[in-house]
């Protein structure tokens, strides 16, 4: 049966669009490459030139590699021998079929490496102290502060709940526009100790904070007997006027970093010192320290926030945050790469089915002479697997090489983004596996005796 195998000659398709993936990703990256790294425009042209060279290199190398490797493949089972013989007779066709996937994977790997290398330029460390809190929940103004703190403190997976409210004072009513302003922070004694170093503290105490950031107006306002006005607006409408008179004998407190890394100034108030009507006008935030051993602690906290008020905003803290533009482009590149690989896979499936139809008489004849269907099916699998394996190996090598070159061009430390490499290689392999599995049912139908009919 090996002697009757013949080279298929399917029509060559114009699949130039396979080259669009790396160039499309590069177009998204264009505004960002080179920023803060010397001559940005020059670097951008170097990057484009490097990607084009990569496309040409992969396209030229893959047919030669496939031909050289299959010519040296040794003995094996019947299915292996059928596949090797077929590839030896038509290695060029097999290489052309997988060229698009190899080019796309190589380009995606190179760009993923470039993204991984420069992500430090678009990532900044947050001031949030994750040792003190891992989540914060902003609750609506009409929710009582103590009630919110109690609900969260009793939530499964929450170790500690620190509830703080904040607002601004002014020397005049806010509808007239105050000349000088200061901040006020409201909470129980335990919560206020998260933002300041306090002497003895009891409910009803008021503290004057020293050491707050950019706080120059507080000493002017902290005069006993002076009347201060709360900001009771909700961002749109002005609320009822609420005033407070500065008492004699204010306790002194020293500001420390709060859980967000900010040093607060102004006044600190315990709940009993807050004037009537003020509690419903202040912004409220609950800082949550979670049990790290409980994986669903965040979800329990989110459930409690929704039960308190559907409009409550729960935020998970992170030690760093990344530019949204950078993250969007990187995600878009991954999604675009996957979509293009899927399109290439569809084209590959069409080519595979056409080749199988051209060989239907040969396949039916082999089955009629006693060749097992399973053997022929495995032969087709090997014919696809061998070029794809070689193509993905070449794509990984070239992608890593070009990625290193791109990082050098942008004056970035060269490091391999293994998760990105494995992801793109896995997507490419998955596409080929899907194409192969989808081609098996038509293959089995083509092995029937009806395939021998001719006119």
């Amino acid at each position: 049966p090996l002697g009757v195998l013949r080279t298929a000659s399917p029509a060559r398709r114009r699949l130039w669009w396979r080259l669009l993936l790396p160039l499309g990703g590069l177009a998204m990256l264009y505004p960002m490459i080179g920023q803060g790294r010397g001559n940005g425009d020059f670097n951008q042209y170097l990057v484009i030139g490097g990607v084009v060279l990569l496309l040409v290199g992969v396209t030229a190398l893959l047919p030669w590699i496939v031909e050289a490797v299959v010519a040296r493949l040794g003995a094996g089972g019947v299915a292996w021998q059928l596949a090797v013989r077929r590839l030896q007779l038509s290695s060029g066709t097999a290489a052309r079929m997988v060229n698009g996937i190899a080019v796309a994977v190589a380009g995606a790997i190179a760009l993923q490496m470039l993204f991984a290398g420069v992500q430090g330029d678009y990532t900044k460390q947050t001031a949030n102290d994750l040792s003190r809190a891992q989540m914060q929940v902003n609750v609506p103004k009409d929710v009582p502060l103590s009630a919110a703190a109690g609900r969260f403190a009793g939530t499964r997976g929450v170790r500690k709940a620190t509830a703080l409210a904040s607002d601004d004072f002014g020397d005049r009513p806010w509808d007239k526009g105050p000349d000088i302003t200061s901040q006020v922070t409201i909470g129980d004694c335990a919560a206020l100790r998260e933002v300041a170093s306090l002497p003895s503290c009891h409910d009803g105490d008021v503290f004057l904070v020293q050491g707050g950031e950019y706080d120059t107006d507080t000493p002017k306002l902290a005069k006993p007997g002076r009347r201060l006005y709360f900001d009771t607006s909700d961002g749109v409408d002005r609320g009822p006027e609420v005033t407070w008179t500065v008492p004699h004998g204010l306790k002194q407190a020293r500001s420390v970093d709060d859980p967000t890394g900010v040093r607060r100034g102004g006044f600190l108030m315990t709940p009993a010192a807050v004037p009537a009507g003020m509690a419903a006008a202040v912004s409220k935030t609950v800082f949550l320290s979670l049990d790290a051993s409980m994986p669903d602690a965040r979800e329990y906290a989110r459930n409690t926030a929704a039960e308190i008020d559907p409009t409550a905003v729960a935020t998970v803290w992170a030690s760093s945050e990344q530019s949204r533009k950078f993250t969007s482009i990187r995600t878009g590149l991954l999604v675009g790469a996957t979509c293009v690989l899927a399109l290439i896979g569809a084209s590959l499936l069409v080519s595979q089915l056409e080749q199988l139809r051209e060989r239907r008489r040969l396949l039916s004849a082999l089955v009629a002479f006693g060749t097992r269907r399973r053997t022929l099916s495995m032969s087709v699998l090997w014919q696809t697997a061998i070029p794809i394996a070689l193509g993905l190996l070449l794509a990984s090598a070239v992608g890593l090489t070009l990625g290193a070159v791109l990082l050098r061009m942008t004056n970035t430390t060269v490091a391999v983004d293994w998760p990105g490499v494995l992801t793109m290689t896995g997507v490419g392999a998955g596409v080929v596996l899907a194409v192969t599995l989808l081609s098996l049912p038509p293959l089995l139908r083509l092995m029937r005796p009806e395939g021998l009919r001719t006119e």
Side-chain angles (χ1 to χ4, degrees), residues 85-301:
R85 179 59 174 163
R86 174 73 182 179
L87 289 173
Q88 289 173 344
L89 293 174
S90 58
S91 61
T93 301
R96 285 195 298 271
M97 288 178 61
V98 300
N99 237 337
I101 288 181
V103 169
V105 170
I109 288 175
L111 292 179
Q112 288 287 359
M113 277 188 64
L114 182 59
F115 270 101
V118 302
Q119 67 180 355
D121 294 349
Y122 304 94
T123 304
K124 66 178 181 179
Q125 298 298 314
T126 65
N128 297 335
D129 188 349
L130 271 66
S131 66
R132 297 165 65 185
Q134 296 81 48
M135 284 186 70
Q136 77 174 54
V137 181
N138 297 330
V139 297
K141 292 183 176 182
D142 58 353
V143 176
L145 188 64
S146 59
R151 291 287 298 274
F152 281 111
T155 299
R156 186 179 179 185
V158 176
R159 291 181 181 272
K160 180 181 177 182
T162 302
L164 293 169
S166 60
D167 198 20
D168 291 321
F169 279 133
D171 62 337
R172 299 173 59 193
W174 285 80
D175 56 349
K176 298 179 181 179
D179 295 323
I180 54 177
T181 62
S182 183
Q183 184 183 28
V184 58
T185 301
I186 301 170
D188 59 27
C189 291
L192 293 181
R193 285 194 171 95
E194 294 290 332
V195 302
S197 177
L198 305 179
S200 61
C201 178
H202 304 282
D203 195 12
D205 288 344
V206 179
F207 300 89
L208 180 65
V209 182
Q210 298 175 347
E213 296 180 1
Y214 311 110
D215 184 15
T216 58
D217 290 342
T218 298
K220 303 174 185 177
L221 296 176
K223 296 179 180 179
R226 184 162 192 173
R227 190 180 188 186
L228 302 181
Y229 298 82
F230 281 97
D231 181 9
T232 58
S233 66
D234 58 3
V236 179
D237 298 322
R238 183 69 55 192
E241 183 177 285
V242 178
T243 62
W244 176 70
T245 302
V246 179
H248 291 271
L250 285 177
K251 292 185 176 182
Q252 300 293 314
R254 180 174 55 84
S255 181
V256 298
D257 290 346
D258 70 6
T260 65
V262 175
R263 292 203 169 190
R264 305 189 184 202
F267 300 85
L268 305 181
M269 280 186 174
T270 51
V274 178
M278 180 58 203
V282 293
S283 300
K284 304 177 178 70
T285 303
V286 183
F287 300 96
L288 304 179
S289 175
L290 306 178
D291 184 353
S293 64
M294 184 174 293
D296 295 329
R298 296 175 179 176
E299 301 309 317
Y300 289 125

Side-chain angles (χ1 to χ4, degrees), residues 278-353:
M278 180 58 203
V282 293
S283 300
K284 304 177 178 70
T285 303
V286 183
F287 300 96
L288 304 179
S289 175
L290 306 178
D291 184 353
S293 64
M294 184 174 293
D296 295 329
R298 296 175 179 176
E299 301 309 317
Y300 289 125
R302 288 191 178 99
N303 290 343
T304 299
E307 291 171 2
I308 292 175
D309 194 286
T311 62
V313 179
T315 305
V316 177
W317 281 6
S319 59
S320 62
E321 60 184 15
Q322 202 167 72
S323 165
R324 290 186 178 181
K325 180 180 180 181
F326 178 87
T327 304
S328 298
I329 293 178
R330 189 171 189 176
T331 303
L333 174 64
L334 179 60
V335 173
T338 303
C339 292
V340 172
L341 284 171
L343 291 174
I344 295 174
S347 172
L348 184 60
L349 178 61
V350 172
S351 300
Q352 182 89 325
L353 295 179

Side-chain angles (χ1 to χ4, degrees), residues 345-430:
S347 172
L348 184 60
L349 178 61
V350 172
S351 300
Q352 182 89 325
L353 295 179
E354 288 189 357
Q355 289 192 36
L356 290 176
R357 279 196 292 269
E358 292 179 359
R359 298 164 58 195
R360 64 182 182 277
R361 294 182 62 187
L362 171 61
L363 294 171
S364 298
L366 290 174
V367 172
F369 278 103
T371 307
R372 298 172 60 184
R373 294 173 182 266
R374 179 180 177 183
T375 299
L376 291 176
S377 299
M378 289 301 300
S379 172
V380 172
L381 290 175
W382 282 121
Q383 290 173 42
T384 304
I386 293 173
I388 284 297
L390 295 174
L392 291 179
L393 286 174
L394 175 63
S396 298
V398 175
L400 290 173
T401 301
L402 183 61
V405 172
L406 297 181
L407 290 174
R408 287 289 187 186
M409 289 178 176
T410 54
N411 297 324
T412 305
T413 302
V414 176
V416 178
D417 177 29
W418 289 114
V421 173
L422 295 177
T423 297
M424 295 314 307
T425 305
V427 171

